[in-house]
PDB file of all heavy atoms in Angstrom:
ATOM      1  N   GLN M   1     -18.743 -23.088 -43.195  1.00  0.00           N
ATOM      2  CA  GLN M   1     -18.757 -24.321 -42.491  1.00  0.00           C
ATOM      3  C   GLN M   1     -18.795 -24.108 -41.011  1.00  0.00           C
ATOM      4  O   GLN M   1     -19.470 -24.845 -40.254  1.00  0.00           O
ATOM      5  CB  GLN M   1     -17.487 -25.119 -42.884  1.00  0.00           C
ATOM      6  CG  GLN M   1     -17.459 -26.523 -42.257  1.00  0.00           C
ATOM      7  CD  GLN M   1     -16.152 -27.296 -42.504  1.00  0.00           C
ATOM      8  OE1 GLN M   1     -15.162 -26.694 -42.975  1.00  0.00           O
ATOM      9  NE2 GLN M   1     -16.238 -28.621 -42.369  1.00  0.00           N
ATOM     10  N   LEU M   2     -18.131 -23.093 -40.482  1.00  0.00           N
ATOM     11  CA  LEU M   2     -18.171 -22.774 -39.070  1.00  0.00           C
ATOM     12  C   LEU M   2     -19.525 -22.387 -38.600  1.00  0.00           C
ATOM     13  O   LEU M   2     -20.026 -22.868 -37.561  1.00  0.00           O
ATOM     14  CB  LEU M   2     -17.138 -21.707 -38.789  1.00  0.00           C
ATOM     15  CG  LEU M   2     -16.922 -21.419 -37.279  1.00  0.00           C
ATOM     16  CD1 LEU M   2     -16.499 -22.661 -36.421  1.00  0.00           C
ATOM     17  CD2 LEU M   2     -15.966 -20.234 -37.059  1.00  0.00           C
ATOM     18  N   LEU M   3     -20.247 -21.669 -39.445  1.00  0.00           N
ATOM     19  CA  LEU M   3     -21.623 -21.297 -39.171  1.00  0.00           C
ATOM     20  C   LEU M   3     -22.552 -22.480 -39.085  1.00  0.00           C
ATOM     21  O   LEU M   3     -23.371 -22.635 -38.113  1.00  0.00           O
ATOM     22  CB  LEU M   3     -22.106 -20.282 -40.190  1.00  0.00           C
ATOM     23  CG  LEU M   3     -23.511 -19.615 -40.000  1.00  0.00           C
ATOM     24  CD1 LEU M   3     -23.486 -18.929 -38.653  1.00  0.00           C
ATOM     25  CD2 LEU M   3     -23.839 -18.646 -41.082  1.00  0.00           C
ATOM     26  N   ARG M   4     -22.377 -23.418 -40.007  1.00  0.00           N
ATOM     27  CA  ARG M   4     -23.175 -24.637 -39.998  1.00  0.00           C
ATOM     28  C   ARG M   4     -22.830 -25.468 -38.773  1.00  0.00           C
ATOM     29  O   ARG M   4     -23.713 -26.045 -38.136  1.00  0.00           O
ATOM     30  CB  ARG M   4     -22.919 -25.497 -41.263  1.00  0.00           C
ATOM     31  CG  ARG M   4     -23.585 -24.802 -42.518  1.00  0.00           C
ATOM     32  CD  ARG M   4     -23.592 -25.795 -43.683  1.00  0.00           C
ATOM     33  NE  ARG M   4     -22.333 -26.415 -44.030  1.00  0.00           N
ATOM     34  CZ  ARG M   4     -21.405 -25.826 -44.846  1.00  0.00           C
ATOM     35  NH1 ARG M   4     -21.591 -24.687 -45.480  1.00  0.00           N
ATOM     36  NH2 ARG M   4     -20.245 -26.549 -45.054  1.00  0.00           N
ATOM     37  N   ARG M   5     -21.498 -25.516 -38.405  1.00  0.00           N
ATOM     38  CA  ARG M   5     -21.110 -26.234 -37.244  1.00  0.00           C
ATOM     39  C   ARG M   5     -21.702 -25.679 -35.947  1.00  0.00           C
ATOM     40  O   ARG M   5     -22.105 -26.388 -35.072  1.00  0.00           O
ATOM     41  CB  ARG M   5     -19.533 -26.248 -37.166  1.00  0.00           C
ATOM     42  CG  ARG M   5     -18.998 -27.306 -36.251  1.00  0.00           C
ATOM     43  CD  ARG M   5     -17.470 -27.387 -36.441  1.00  0.00           C
ATOM     44  NE  ARG M   5     -17.037 -28.569 -35.723  1.00  0.00           N
ATOM     45  CZ  ARG M   5     -15.768 -28.800 -35.433  1.00  0.00           C
ATOM     46  NH1 ARG M   5     -14.869 -28.013 -35.854  1.00  0.00           N
ATOM     47  NH2 ARG M   5     -15.409 -29.856 -34.844  1.00  0.00           N
ATOM     48  N   LYS M   6     -21.631 -24.386 -35.865  1.00  0.00           N
ATOM     49  CA  LYS M   6     -22.267 -23.640 -34.712  1.00  0.00           C
ATOM     50  C   LYS M   6     -23.733 -24.008 -34.567  1.00  0.00           C
ATOM     51  O   LYS M   6     -24.216 -24.329 -33.519  1.00  0.00           O
ATOM     52  CB  LYS M   6     -22.140 -22.124 -34.890  1.00  0.00           C
ATOM     53  CG  LYS M   6     -22.752 -21.348 -33.724  1.00  0.00           C
ATOM     54  CD  LYS M   6     -23.030 -19.949 -34.129  1.00  0.00           C
ATOM     55  CE  LYS M   6     -24.195 -19.716 -34.975  1.00  0.00           C
ATOM     56  NZ  LYS M   6     -25.507 -19.404 -34.413  1.00  0.00           N
ATOM     57  N   ASN M   7     -24.415 -23.986 -35.727  1.00  0.00           N
ATOM     58  CA  ASN M   7     -25.898 -24.385 -35.664  1.00  0.00           C
ATOM     59  C   ASN M   7     -26.099 -25.798 -35.232  1.00  0.00           C
ATOM     60  O   ASN M   7     -27.007 -26.006 -34.498  1.00  0.00           O
ATOM     61  CB  ASN M   7     -26.531 -24.103 -37.046  1.00  0.00           C
ATOM     62  CG  ASN M   7     -26.617 -22.691 -37.327  1.00  0.00           C
ATOM     63  OD1 ASN M   7     -26.642 -21.730 -36.455  1.00  0.00           O
ATOM     64  ND2 ASN M   7     -26.571 -22.281 -38.593  1.00  0.00           N
ATOM     65  N   ASP M   8     -25.258 -26.745 -35.659  1.00  0.00           N
ATOM     66  CA  ASP M   8     -25.338 -28.157 -35.253  1.00  0.00           C
ATOM     67  C   ASP M   8     -25.134 -28.264 -33.740  1.00  0.00           C
ATOM     68  O   ASP M   8     -25.826 -28.916 -33.041  1.00  0.00           O
ATOM     69  CB  ASP M   8     -24.437 -29.009 -36.057  1.00  0.00           C
ATOM     70  CG  ASP M   8     -25.017 -29.538 -37.359  1.00  0.00           C
ATOM     71  OD1 ASP M   8     -26.073 -29.054 -37.748  1.00  0.00           O
ATOM     72  OD2 ASP M   8     -24.393 -30.324 -37.973  1.00  0.00           O
ATOM     73  N   ILE M   9     -24.133 -27.570 -33.219  1.00  0.00           N
ATOM     74  CA  ILE M   9     -23.799 -27.605 -31.826  1.00  0.00           C
ATOM     75  C   ILE M   9     -24.919 -27.082 -30.980  1.00  0.00           C
ATOM     76  O   ILE M   9     -25.399 -27.651 -30.024  1.00  0.00           O
ATOM     77  CB  ILE M   9     -22.502 -26.867 -31.507  1.00  0.00           C
ATOM     78  CG1 ILE M   9     -21.349 -27.596 -32.141  1.00  0.00           C
ATOM     79  CG2 ILE M   9     -22.280 -26.754 -29.924  1.00  0.00           C
ATOM     80  CD1 ILE M   9     -20.068 -26.787 -32.174  1.00  0.00           C
ATOM     81  N   VAL M  10     -25.523 -25.921 -31.397  1.00  0.00           N
ATOM     82  CA  VAL M  10     -26.618 -25.285 -30.732  1.00  0.00           C
ATOM     83  C   VAL M  10     -27.785 -26.249 -30.724  1.00  0.00           C
ATOM     84  O   VAL M  10     -28.475 -26.498 -29.657  1.00  0.00           O
ATOM     85  CB  VAL M  10     -26.954 -23.935 -31.312  1.00  0.00           C
ATOM     86  CG1 VAL M  10     -28.382 -23.414 -30.832  1.00  0.00           C
ATOM     87  CG2 VAL M  10     -25.937 -22.901 -31.102  1.00  0.00           C
ATOM     88  N   ASN M  11     -28.187 -26.881 -31.831  1.00  0.00           N
ATOM     89  CA  ASN M  11     -29.246 -27.820 -31.993  1.00  0.00           C
ATOM     90  C   ASN M  11     -29.060 -29.046 -31.112  1.00  0.00           C
ATOM     91  O   ASN M  11     -29.990 -29.588 -30.525  1.00  0.00           O
ATOM     92  CB  ASN M  11     -29.591 -28.062 -33.445  1.00  0.00           C
ATOM     93  CG  ASN M  11     -30.115 -26.905 -34.130  1.00  0.00           C
ATOM     94  OD1 ASN M  11     -30.816 -26.070 -33.538  1.00  0.00           O
ATOM     95  ND2 ASN M  11     -29.808 -26.827 -35.401  1.00  0.00           N
ATOM     96  N   LEU M  12     -27.815 -29.574 -31.163  1.00  0.00           N
ATOM     97  CA  LEU M  12     -27.490 -30.687 -30.303  1.00  0.00           C
ATOM     98  C   LEU M  12     -27.691 -30.481 -28.878  1.00  0.00           C
ATOM     99  O   LEU M  12     -28.377 -31.203 -28.133  1.00  0.00           O
ATOM    100  CB  LEU M  12     -26.105 -31.179 -30.582  1.00  0.00           C
ATOM    101  CG  LEU M  12     -25.580 -32.364 -29.703  1.00  0.00           C
ATOM    102  CD1 LEU M  12     -26.279 -33.588 -29.923  1.00  0.00           C
ATOM    103  CD2 LEU M  12     -24.070 -32.637 -29.932  1.00  0.00           C
ATOM    104  N   LEU M  13     -27.191 -29.351 -28.336  1.00  0.00           N
ATOM    105  CA  LEU M  13     -27.312 -28.991 -26.961  1.00  0.00           C
ATOM    106  C   LEU M  13     -28.831 -28.570 -26.587  1.00  0.00           C
ATOM    107  O   LEU M  13     -29.207 -28.799 -25.449  1.00  0.00           O
ATOM    108  CB  LEU M  13     -26.389 -27.867 -26.628  1.00  0.00           C
ATOM    109  CG  LEU M  13     -24.966 -28.292 -26.509  1.00  0.00           C
ATOM    110  CD1 LEU M  13     -24.027 -27.145 -26.494  1.00  0.00           C
ATOM    111  CD2 LEU M  13     -24.725 -29.206 -25.336  1.00  0.00           C
ATOM    112  N   ARG M  14     -29.518 -28.035 -27.544  1.00  0.00           N
ATOM    113  CA  ARG M  14     -30.855 -27.757 -27.306  1.00  0.00           C
ATOM    114  C   ARG M  14     -31.708 -28.956 -27.012  1.00  0.00           C
ATOM    115  O   ARG M  14     -32.658 -28.913 -26.165  1.00  0.00           O
ATOM    116  CB  ARG M  14     -31.507 -27.000 -28.493  1.00  0.00           C
ATOM    117  CG  ARG M  14     -32.807 -26.327 -28.205  1.00  0.00           C
ATOM    118  CD  ARG M  14     -33.267 -25.392 -29.313  1.00  0.00           C
ATOM    119  NE  ARG M  14     -32.425 -24.175 -29.295  1.00  0.00           N
ATOM    120  CZ  ARG M  14     -32.049 -23.498 -30.392  1.00  0.00           C
ATOM    121  NH1 ARG M  14     -32.414 -23.961 -31.552  1.00  0.00           N
ATOM    122  NH2 ARG M  14     -31.414 -22.434 -30.285  1.00  0.00           N
ATOM    123  N   GLY M  15     -31.317 -30.070 -27.545  1.00  0.00           N
ATOM    124  CA  GLY M  15     -31.944 -31.377 -27.338  1.00  0.00           C
ATOM    125  C   GLY M  15     -31.826 -31.832 -25.863  1.00  0.00           C
ATOM    126  O   GLY M  15     -32.634 -32.551 -25.372  1.00  0.00           O
ATOM    127  N   GLY M  16     -30.743 -31.343 -25.157  1.00  0.00           N
ATOM    128  CA  GLY M  16     -30.600 -31.635 -23.800  1.00  0.00           C
ATOM    129  C   GLY M  16     -30.985 -30.456 -22.901  1.00  0.00           C
ATOM    130  O   GLY M  16     -30.517 -30.405 -21.723  1.00  0.00           O
ATOM    131  N   ALA M  17     -31.710 -29.465 -23.450  1.00  0.00           N
ATOM    132  CA  ALA M  17     -32.164 -28.237 -22.722  1.00  0.00           C
ATOM    133  C   ALA M  17     -30.979 -27.441 -22.253  1.00  0.00           C
ATOM    134  O   ALA M  17     -30.994 -26.852 -21.177  1.00  0.00           O
ATOM    135  CB  ALA M  17     -33.110 -28.673 -21.552  1.00  0.00           C
ATOM    136  N   CYS M  18     -29.943 -27.392 -23.094  1.00  0.00           N
ATOM    137  CA  CYS M  18     -28.753 -26.530 -22.688  1.00  0.00           C
ATOM    138  C   CYS M  18     -28.664 -25.431 -23.599  1.00  0.00           C
ATOM    139  O   CYS M  18     -28.921 -25.573 -24.859  1.00  0.00           O
ATOM    140  CB  CYS M  18     -27.475 -27.428 -22.779  1.00  0.00           C
ATOM    141  SG  CYS M  18     -27.372 -28.816 -21.660  1.00  0.00           S
ATOM    142  N   GLU M  19     -28.406 -24.226 -23.103  1.00  0.00           N
ATOM    143  CA  GLU M  19     -28.286 -23.066 -23.941  1.00  0.00           C
ATOM    144  C   GLU M  19     -26.931 -22.475 -23.854  1.00  0.00           C
ATOM    145  O   GLU M  19     -26.395 -22.343 -22.748  1.00  0.00           O
ATOM    146  CB  GLU M  19     -29.343 -22.038 -23.463  1.00  0.00           C
ATOM    147  CG  GLU M  19     -29.496 -20.862 -24.389  1.00  0.00           C
ATOM    148  CD  GLU M  19     -30.266 -21.146 -25.666  1.00  0.00           C
ATOM    149  OE1 GLU M  19     -31.120 -22.111 -25.650  1.00  0.00           O
ATOM    150  OE2 GLU M  19     -30.050 -20.509 -26.710  1.00  0.00           O
ATOM    151  N   LEU M  20     -26.268 -22.266 -24.972  1.00  0.00           N
ATOM    152  CA  LEU M  20     -24.898 -21.667 -24.911  1.00  0.00           C
ATOM    153  C   LEU M  20     -24.995 -20.115 -24.854  1.00  0.00           C
ATOM    154  O   LEU M  20     -25.832 -19.470 -25.474  1.00  0.00           O
ATOM    155  CB  LEU M  20     -24.130 -22.117 -26.157  1.00  0.00           C
ATOM    156  CG  LEU M  20     -23.751 -23.599 -26.292  1.00  0.00           C
ATOM    157  CD1 LEU M  20     -23.129 -23.850 -27.631  1.00  0.00           C
ATOM    158  CD2 LEU M  20     -22.906 -23.943 -25.113  1.00  0.00           C
ATOM    159  N   SER M  21     -24.029 -19.598 -24.102  1.00  0.00           N
ATOM    160  CA  SER M  21     -23.886 -18.096 -24.058  1.00  0.00           C
ATOM    161  C   SER M  21     -22.431 -17.684 -23.980  1.00  0.00           C
ATOM    162  O   SER M  21     -21.592 -18.627 -24.057  1.00  0.00           O
ATOM    163  CB  SER M  21     -24.652 -17.632 -22.836  1.00  0.00           C
ATOM    164  OG  SER M  21     -24.054 -18.096 -21.656  1.00  0.00           O
ATOM    165  N   LYS M  22     -22.216 -16.415 -23.968  1.00  0.00           N
ATOM    166  CA  LYS M  22     -20.852 -15.960 -23.927  1.00  0.00           C
ATOM    167  C   LYS M  22     -19.973 -16.384 -25.115  1.00  0.00           C
ATOM    168  O   LYS M  22     -19.002 -16.906 -24.988  1.00  0.00           O
ATOM    169  CB  LYS M  22     -20.145 -16.234 -22.659  1.00  0.00           C
ATOM    170  CG  LYS M  22     -20.731 -15.608 -21.466  1.00  0.00           C
ATOM    171  CD  LYS M  22     -19.767 -15.603 -20.264  1.00  0.00           C
ATOM    172  CE  LYS M  22     -20.047 -16.707 -19.310  1.00  0.00           C
ATOM    173  NZ  LYS M  22     -19.195 -16.688 -18.128  1.00  0.00           N
ATOM    174  N   TRP M  23     -20.599 -16.233 -26.337  1.00  0.00           N
ATOM    175  CA  TRP M  23     -19.954 -16.543 -27.534  1.00  0.00           C
ATOM    176  C   TRP M  23     -18.909 -15.505 -27.955  1.00  0.00           C
ATOM    177  O   TRP M  23     -19.099 -14.264 -27.711  1.00  0.00           O
ATOM    178  CB  TRP M  23     -20.901 -16.607 -28.709  1.00  0.00           C
ATOM    179  CG  TRP M  23     -21.821 -17.772 -28.697  1.00  0.00           C
ATOM    180  CD1 TRP M  23     -23.051 -17.894 -27.977  1.00  0.00           C
ATOM    181  CD2 TRP M  23     -21.732 -18.962 -29.427  1.00  0.00           C
ATOM    182  NE1 TRP M  23     -23.641 -19.106 -28.172  1.00  0.00           N
ATOM    183  CE2 TRP M  23     -22.831 -19.788 -29.096  1.00  0.00           C
ATOM    184  CE3 TRP M  23     -20.816 -19.461 -30.360  1.00  0.00           C
ATOM    185  CZ2 TRP M  23     -23.043 -21.034 -29.730  1.00  0.00           C
ATOM    186  CZ3 TRP M  23     -21.022 -20.739 -30.949  1.00  0.00           C
ATOM    187  CH2 TRP M  23     -22.065 -21.469 -30.562  1.00  0.00           C
ATOM    188  N   THR M  24     -17.833 -15.886 -28.584  1.00  0.00           N
ATOM    189  CA  THR M  24     -16.951 -15.000 -29.177  1.00  0.00           C
ATOM    190  C   THR M  24     -16.311 -15.645 -30.415  1.00  0.00           C
ATOM    191  O   THR M  24     -16.244 -16.838 -30.493  1.00  0.00           O
ATOM    192  CB  THR M  24     -15.855 -14.502 -28.213  1.00  0.00           C
ATOM    193  OG1 THR M  24     -15.135 -13.385 -28.833  1.00  0.00           O
ATOM    194  CG2 THR M  24     -14.886 -15.533 -27.794  1.00  0.00           C
ATOM    195  N   SER M  25     -15.812 -14.814 -31.359  1.00  0.00           N
ATOM    196  CA  SER M  25     -15.242 -15.347 -32.557  1.00  0.00           C
ATOM    197  C   SER M  25     -14.341 -14.311 -33.142  1.00  0.00           C
ATOM    198  O   SER M  25     -14.488 -13.102 -32.881  1.00  0.00           O
ATOM    199  CB  SER M  25     -16.361 -15.744 -33.517  1.00  0.00           C
ATOM    200  OG  SER M  25     -15.776 -16.258 -34.692  1.00  0.00           O
ATOM    201  N   ASN M  26     -13.470 -14.753 -34.055  1.00  0.00           N
ATOM    202  CA  ASN M  26     -12.707 -13.770 -34.770  1.00  0.00           C
ATOM    203  C   ASN M  26     -13.390 -13.571 -36.157  1.00  0.00           C
ATOM    204  O   ASN M  26     -12.853 -12.881 -37.053  1.00  0.00           O
ATOM    205  CB  ASN M  26     -11.222 -14.298 -35.012  1.00  0.00           C
ATOM    206  CG  ASN M  26     -11.166 -15.547 -35.778  1.00  0.00           C
ATOM    207  OD1 ASN M  26     -12.194 -16.232 -35.958  1.00  0.00           O
ATOM    208  ND2 ASN M  26      -9.974 -15.930 -36.125  1.00  0.00           N
ATOM    209  N   SER M  27     -14.506 -14.123 -36.344  1.00  0.00           N
ATOM    210  CA  SER M  27     -15.294 -14.016 -37.634  1.00  0.00           C
ATOM    211  C   SER M  27     -16.476 -13.066 -37.422  1.00  0.00           C
ATOM    212  O   SER M  27     -17.339 -13.402 -36.564  1.00  0.00           O
ATOM    213  CB  SER M  27     -15.770 -15.366 -38.074  1.00  0.00           C
ATOM    214  OG  SER M  27     -16.735 -15.294 -39.045  1.00  0.00           O
TER     215      SER M  27
END
């Protein structure tokens, strides 16, 4: 579910030409 959520966030932000970086996780 977290992986699907990450993909949704990335796609939502991509619609506004925003790119996320500096990711970290305990997974």
Side-chain angles (χ1 to χ4, degrees):
Q1 182 183 20
L2 186 59
L3 187 58
R4 289 191 310 269
R5 195 169 192 195
K6 177 200 78 94
N7 291 333
D8 272 10
I9 293 167
V10 167
N11 291 328
L12 175 63
L13 287 168
R14 192 170 285 146
C18 297
E19 191 73 29
L20 292 176
S21 62
K22 294 200 258 182
W23 288 83
T24 191
S25 177
N26 60 349
S27 165

